[in-house]
Amino acid sequence: MEQRRKNSPRSLIAMLLAMAAAAVTIYLGWRYANRQYYVVSVLLILYFMAPFFLMFERRRPQARELVVIAVLTAIAVVSRVLFIWAPAVKPLLAFVIITGIAFGPESGFLTGALAAFVSNFVFGQGAWTPWQMFAYGLGGFLAGVLYQAGLLPKKRVPLAVFGFLTVFLLVGPVLDTCAIFLQPAAINWQLMKMLYLSGVPVNLLHGLCVALTLLLVSQPMFEKLERIKDKYGMMEG
């Protein structure tokens, strides 16, 4: 029978500490560093990614689990590279969500972060890479947390709706925020409004792509992954 690991209170503490450090960095960068948006943005992402990687390392994953996660990461990378000709068509997050549900929120975050990093060797590395790593990783982490809490069933339609909303309300806005921080002009409400609105059509298409992918492949992949977990005794206890 499938087991769901409970979330540790230390996860919440780590995120609260990261948020506190982020708030201090934003204030210091705005007040004393001549509004160095680029430096501030990279520091913020590093703050928020560090707790997730530490949580994954703390639970001491099995070698066989790491192999499966590596394969799922490769699938996510390929799914993005295949649509290099259509930048808004990115099924990547669908496989990250599946990983987060099947192997836990930490694995979901790791898969999303690594898939974004590796695929950018094709799309191009840059200041946007940490933001993409954080955004996709956060989507996988959220899927794992909601599934473990019993709020996200492993059914096609709820997963598709979740995938769409995650892109439109979380992943897309995070990536749009990256564009705001990397603008050479001073940040103001007018600039933020323009960039967020311009990202709406892209986020809609991105979300629909993730939702369609989950509708098509989520159930077959869950069946395969459950057989692998049962056969090799993964994720027990």
Side-chain angles (χ1 to χ4, degrees):
M1 186 173 178
E2 184 179 5
Q3 298 181 4
R4 302 188 185 191
R5 290 178 290 109
K6 295 182 179 179
N7 298 312
S8 170
R10 288 182 293 185
S11 301
L12 178 59
I13 295 174
M15 286 304 301
L16 290 175
L17 290 175
M19 291 174 65
V24 172
T25 300
I26 291 174
Y27 173 76
L28 293 178
W30 184 270
R31 187 78 170 80
Y32 299 108
N34 196 26
R35 301 180 182 181
Q36 295 295 322
Y37 304 128
Y38 175 84
V39 175
V40 171
S41 68
V42 173
L43 286 175
L44 293 182
I45 297 305
L46 292 178
Y47 290 155
F48 283 114
M49 285 198 296
F52 293 105
F53 287 115
L54 291 174
M55 283 186 281
F56 182 82
E57 179 64 24
R58 188 182 297 120
R59 72 176 179 83
R60 302 183 183 278
Q62 300 171 321
R64 61 192 67 176
E65 180 188 348
L66 294 177
V67 172
V68 177
I69 291 174
V71 172
L72 291 169
T73 300
I75 293 173
V77 170
V78 171
S79 74
R80 185 185 180 199
V81 174
L82 284 176
F83 294 96
I84 191 172
W85 49 273
V89 179
K90 295 187 283 280
L92 183 151
L93 185 64
F95 300 102
V96 174
I97 289 173
I98 290 171
T99 305
I101 291 174
F103 293 98
E106 299 92 350
S107 298
F109 184 88
L110 180 67
T111 300
L114 289 179
F117 176 70
V118 174
S119 61
N120 271 1
F121 282 104
V122 176
F123 287 87
Q125 302 286 357
W128 50 86
T129 298
W131 288 85
Q132 292 174 338
M133 293 173 65
F134 177 68
Y136 290 122
L138 197 59
F141 186 85
L142 179 62
V145 168
L146 293 180
Y147 174 70
Q148 289 182 351
L151 301 176
L152 181 63
K154 291 199 301 187
K155 298 180 179 179
R156 295 179 189 271
V157 175
L159 282 176
V161 173
F162 170 79
F164 175 81
L165 292 177
T166 300
V167 171
F168 192 71
L169 299 178
L170 179 64
V171 174
V174 169
L175 298 179
D176 294 337
T177 303
C178 168
I180 292 173
F181 273 97
L182 298 181
Q183 288 294 314
I187 296 177
N188 55 67
W189 289 111
Q190 190 64 29
L191 173 64
M192 294 173 62
K193 179 181 177 181
M194 179 187 69
L195 288 174
Y196 280 123
L197 289 177
S198 65
V200 169
V202 177
N203 294 335
L204 281 172
L205 183 56
H206 186 184
L208 289 173
C209 177
V210 170
L212 180 60
T213 303
L214 287 169
L215 281 173
L216 294 176
V217 308
S218 60
Q219 301 311 304
M221 288 194 68
F222 281 135
E223 292 174 5
K224 296 289 186 183
L225 293 173
E226 286 305 318
R227 282 202 289 269
I228 291 173
K229 288 162 64 177
D230 290 340
K231 181 177 181 179
Y232 295 105
M234 298 165 62
M235 309 296 290
E236 292 183 349

